Amino acid sequence: MSQYSSQQALNPDVEVQCDLRSDTVTRPDAAMRAAMAAAEVGDDVFGEDPSITRLECTLAERLGKDAALFLPSGTQSNLIAMLAHCGRGEEVITGRDYHVYKYEAGGASVLGGCVLDPRLVEPDGGLNADDVGRAVKEDDAHHPISRLLSLENSHNGMAVPLARCIEVVNVARSAGLSTHLDGARFFNATVALQCGEKALAAPFDTVSICLSKGLGAPVGSVLVGPSDLIAKGRRLRKMLGGGMRQAGVLAAAGLYALEHNIARLAEDHARAAELKTVLEDVGVTDVRGDTNMLFLHAASEVQNRLVESFTATGVKINVSKDEPVRLVLHKDVSEAGFATLLQAVRQI
């Protein structure tokens, strides 16, 4: 059962105090809704939506890339990146636990004929450079052609150090591979690493940015990269049914999020650190994650007591068999909800 499947049965008589299943559950606040209502719109398939154009130009400039493409979801953004980089029978080297391999339904293989070679993810969320070097295939008719390295940052709540990313990318570059970053929580990584947006994006040809997670926008991701690849991606977007018309109302939410909701990600990280301390105080010692996301590995008895306490107090989580409990802090966890969460942990 995946991280997206929930077995927790909340008591219908208990009001939900906070929802920690994911930072995708955030909703547009009043100011974001006002920005959406006031958005200039046009037909984006014709290239005439000024709000979408502004969002694409903004992110391309901020990340130091030539161009950008607004897309409905992070999964489609990653898929289009892989299809733009790779032809049929060509290979993507990535992490075994990365989203592109584990949680995107094999789209690059099903729709693009791409081969994915999943490598072991290191404890800090990165890949081992030597292992990536060994994964690159020889020019032999028996093998797929190694074409793309796809990394992820942040990964499972861990901000992968920039030096680790650069080391792995350099190995891939020396072997002639292109590079892609699944930056679904890109800004969580920049905040945690205290590095610039261009610095984190620079090692990669393409970067996928999600707006509907910690940034609080309702829909959308943006793929940034070289003009030729983004042009190819625009054709692929149409082919995959991702072309949207007057979608500037969605782009306006993304623009608002970029202006107002990045700096505050540090609050989510601080809350996660505080929650980690409280969990360790009650005996849950195997807790990992250093941004807005924690993963708990606890004895079944302790985990069951924790789930029971959460259920009784209206704390909503994902519970999956044989998987660690994942707790995700985000902007829609209120002060009262966070206090309830801490109290629920202390009660176990």
Side-chain angles (χ1 to χ4, degrees):
M1 189 171 287
S2 82
Q3 62 174 309
Y4 302 113
S5 301
S6 177
Q7 296 175 317
Q8 185 189 25
L10 288 179
N11 186 333
D13 297 326
V14 177
E15 183 179 354
V16 175
Q17 298 299 313
C18 66
D19 189 340
L20 302 183
R21 291 174 298 166
S22 177
D23 45 11
T24 62
V25 302
T26 54
R27 301 176 182 180
D29 57 24
M32 183 179 284
R33 287 175 183 268
M36 294 170 71
E40 295 180 88
V41 298
D43 191 320
D44 184 49
V45 175
F46 292 155
E48 296 175 355
D49 191 299
S51 296
I52 290 179
T53 299
R54 192 175 307 121
L55 174 63
E56 291 172 343
C57 291
T58 296
L59 271 172
E61 181 179 357
R62 286 178 61 156
L63 271 65
K65 304 300 182 186
D66 296 336
L69 180 65
F70 182 57
L71 295 149
S73 70
T75 294
Q76 189 173 100
S77 182
N78 285 329
L79 173 61
I80 285 176
M82 289 186 283
L83 297 186
H85 282 288
C86 300
R88 301 186 70 82
E90 295 186 334
E91 180 182 68
V92 181
I93 297 172
T94 190
R96 187 174 302 163
D97 297 320
Y98 287 175
H99 204 275
V100 297
Y101 177 74
K102 198 171 183 179
Y103 295 116
E104 296 184 3
S109 299
V110 174
L111 302 176
C114 303
V115 181
L116 273 68
D117 183 356
R119 314 307 297 180
L120 183 66
V121 178
E122 296 289 316
D124 66 358
L127 298 187
N128 179 278
D130 291 336
D131 186 45
V132 168
R134 288 190 295 270
V136 177
K137 308 299 183 288
E138 297 178 356
D139 185 7
D140 186 302
H142 295 85
H143 302 314
I145 299 169
S146 299
R147 182 66 67 200
L148 177 68
L149 171 71
S150 180
L151 301 183
E152 184 175 303
N153 206 0
S154 63
H155 169 68
N156 282 356
M158 295 174 287
V160 184
L162 183 56
R164 160 84 80 175
C165 297
I166 292 172
E167 181 185 21
V168 178
V169 165
N170 285 344
V171 169
R173 293 277 190 215
S174 66
L177 274 64
S178 299
T179 58
H180 171 67
L181 178 68
D182 177 1
R185 295 177 175 87
F186 179 89
F187 294 107
N188 288 97
T190 61
V191 169
L193 297 173
Q194 297 183 336
C195 71
E197 295 164 8
K198 289 182 180 178
L200 189 57
F204 303 94
D205 297 302
T206 53
V207 182
S208 176
I209 301 289
C210 189
L211 303 169
S212 63
K213 293 187 169 66
L215 298 186
V219 175
S221 288
V222 178
L223 180 67
V224 301
S227 297
D228 58 338
L229 275 173
I230 296 302
K232 189 174 181 180
R234 196 171 295 275
R235 176 181 288 272
L236 288 164
R237 183 184 70 174
K238 183 64 177 174
M239 186 187 304
L240 294 169
M244 296 179 286
R245 302 298 178 174
Q246 291 75 24
V249 291
L250 303 177
L255 286 163
Y256 180 90
L258 292 175
E259 184 176 351
H260 298 280
N261 290 346
I262 292 177
R264 65 146 310 282
L265 291 173
E267 300 172 21
D268 299 332
H269 298 182
R271 281 180 164 183
E274 182 178 355
L275 176 58
K276 181 177 181 180
T277 298
V278 174
L279 284 161
E280 291 171 341
D281 287 344
V282 300
V284 184
T285 55
D286 190 357
V287 184
R288 60 180 174 83
D290 61 4
T291 56
N292 67 318
M293 191 181 301
L294 300 178
F295 286 80
L296 322 181
H297 298 259
S300 58
E301 179 185 354
V302 175
Q303 182 167 311
N304 290 341
R305 283 162 49 200
L306 191 63
V307 173
E308 289 170 3
S309 183
F310 285 168
T311 301
T313 53
V315 176
K316 202 169 186 177
I317 62 170
N318 274 342
V319 183
S320 299
K321 186 178 180 180
D322 300 324
E323 293 284 342
V325 175
R326 186 179 79 156
L327 308 177
V328 186
L329 281 301
H330 51 80
K331 66 183 289 293
D332 284 12
V333 176
S334 66
E335 289 288 345
F338 187 62
T340 298
L341 166 63
L342 297 183
Q343 184 60 27
V345 174
R346 294 186 176 107
Q347 286 176 353
I348 73 166

